[in-house]
Amino acid sequence: MADNRRWWALVVIALAQLMVVLDMTIVNIALPSAQADLNMSDGNRQWVITAYTLAFGGLLLLGGRVSDLAGRRKTFVIGLLGFAAASALGGAATGSGMLFGARALQGVFAALLAPSALALLATTFTDPKERGKAFGVFGAIVGAGAAIGLLAGGLLTEYLDWRWCLYVNVPVALIAFAGAWVLLAPGERHPDAHLDVPGALLGSAGMLSLVYGFSEAESRSWGDALVVTLLVAGVVLLAAFGLWQTRARVPLLPMSVVKDRQRVGAFLTTLLVTVGMFGVFLFLTYYMQGVLRWSPLKTGLAYLPMTAAMIVGSTQIAARLLGKVPPRALMVPGLLLAAGGLAVIAQVGVEPAYASHVLPGMLMLGLGMSTTMMTSISLATGSVPPRDSGAASATFNTAQQVGGSIGTALLNTIAATVTARYLTAHAGPGVNPRALQAEATVHGFNVATWWAMGALLLAAAVAGVVVNAHRAPTPQTARERTPEPVDSAM
């Protein structure tokens, strides 16, 4: 592929990935309006988020393997068109059930689209210099997607309608589809293509059970019988999946993908990073809207400096240094910087503290997170044989999704528990109930943010100990190790 054509292909791939990532958060700000419009109960409203994350996280491994077997361009464009159709259906929802179903369909097609996008990126940019730049852009998209979703959600909800948080995906997906049709070469099915059906059933059921269990823990509690059953079942099914993968003729997840030390370090780091990050985004949004009484638009705009910091960290720091220094020399300082940002944010009070705490914390978080995520993406996909790029990409996305589910459930549970205890301990005659509620809420957010910081420090320890490569691997390494012909998806 000619240089210009390859870089235009990057635009298409990044656009599709942005759509998938920001859809995890764009609906959050619109949820109160959607709940009122469709008469959703407080107990059911969580399914607007859960239906998407459940289908997405549960089917990622299957989607990644399908992209390996059927060809990446084919699964990429099918994912785009399906995502657009599901988004249109959700925007036109006349009831809560229709919206929940549309969100689940979005998750199904996102599980097909996301691994294809990352696999296309990994197999397109093999030159170390070009690869650094390409992964810098992609890392910025992955890191900033959640913040961009919050901004877009605020703009669309305030000036148009909550339904446009879903409708907006339609033109974006169609533009990406047109670009993919023109710029991406048709892929060919592998001659030995075979879908591991038992592995698909075990892996998907295990992931669905695990993600559903973590999602329900937020509203039910960790000791709830359903939550415990789902989590135990998820662990058992995934253990059975792992055992089967060692025996399957063509495994859904080749053991070579998860036996490599560098990839394991990248997957674990990504899991821990998203444990801390997803809950913090939610806390900051509630802090600005619920405590400071900011509008959805003002809240979205407040995330812009962090988005800019993420772009700088990915394209100007990590992309320039990735091929020159050991990966952990980028990951460990990045994670420590991000953890420091959370330490600053964790000290906010009920009085406005955006300039003094939130803004500097966001800037540190953005720089550190983007440097780490971009390096992790490169490690996760760098030395994988082209025929297994989809599986490796799906595993990386699964780490993100499971980490986000764990983080949202765990940190929200911590915040709610601490808030309730604070209210009980400080209630009494002469205490202003509204002021006490604000103080208790912020205290709960702060304690949970300290826990999130702990997750990032643990991620830094994992990256420092497990990731020991002198340089980030590239697909050239995989081709030297593997005699099979390269997939022609590009």
Side-chain angles (χ1 to χ4, degrees), residues 136-167:
V137 173
F138 197 82
I141 292 294
V142 172
I148 293 172
L150 294 168
L151 173 59
L155 284 167
L156 294 170
T157 302
E158 189 150 327
Y159 290 109
L160 290 174
D161 185 80
W162 69 267
R163 296 177 184 275
W164 278 96
C165 291
L166 294 164
Y167 283 143

Side-chain angles (χ1 to χ4, degrees), residues 41 70 97 127 136 216 302 375 441 468 473:
S41 68
D127 177 80
E216 286 295 294
T375 308
T441 300
N468 63 353

Side-chain angles (χ1 to χ4, degrees), residues 19-25 46-58 83 100 102-111 211 401:
M19 183 178 66
V20 170
V21 173
L22 67 81
D23 222 69
M24 295 179 193
T25 56
Q46 56 133 348
W47 279 103
V48 176
I49 308 299
T50 303
Y52 179 78
T53 57
L54 185 60
F56 187 22
F83 199 89
F100 299 157
R103 289 287 286 166
L105 273 177
Q106 280 186 305
V108 170
F109 287 106
V211 173
Q401 193 60 36

Side-chain angles (χ1 to χ4, degrees), residues 443-476:
H443 179 62
F445 289 169
N446 288 345
V447 172
T449 302
W450 285 114
W451 279 86
M453 186 193 76
L456 295 193
L457 291 176
L458 181 57
V462 169
V465 172
V466 179
V467 178
N468 63 353
H470 294 296
R471 296 289 183 272
T474 69
Q476 292 173 345

Side-chain angles (χ1 to χ4, degrees), residues 355-404:
S356 61
H357 290 78
V358 178
L359 178 59
M362 278 184 170
L363 292 174
M364 294 169 66
L365 198 58
L367 283 171
M369 292 304 307
S370 57
T371 302
T372 301
M373 290 301 291
M374 181 262 187
T375 308
S376 296
I377 292 171
S378 186
L379 281 177
T381 61
S383 61
V384 183
R387 69 178 186 276
D388 294 330
S389 290
S393 303
T395 307
F396 177 83
N397 278 284
T398 299
Q400 281 189 298
Q401 193 60 36
V402 172

Side-chain angles (χ1 to χ4, degrees), residues 19 28 31 65 120 150 168 175 225 253 328 332 409 425:
M19 183 178 66
N28 284 1
L31 187 53
R65 202 49 171 163
L120 284 168
L150 294 168
V168 71
I175 291 170
L253 178 61
R328 65 180 171 189
V332 174

Side-chain angles (χ1 to χ4, degrees), residues 11 18 23 28 99 158 205 208 211 226 247 291 309 315 326-327 405 424:
V11 173
L18 174 63
D23 222 69
N28 284 1
L99 179 58
E158 189 150 327
L208 284 167
V211 173
L226 176 63
R247 301 179 178 182
V291 178
T315 62
S405 298
T424 301

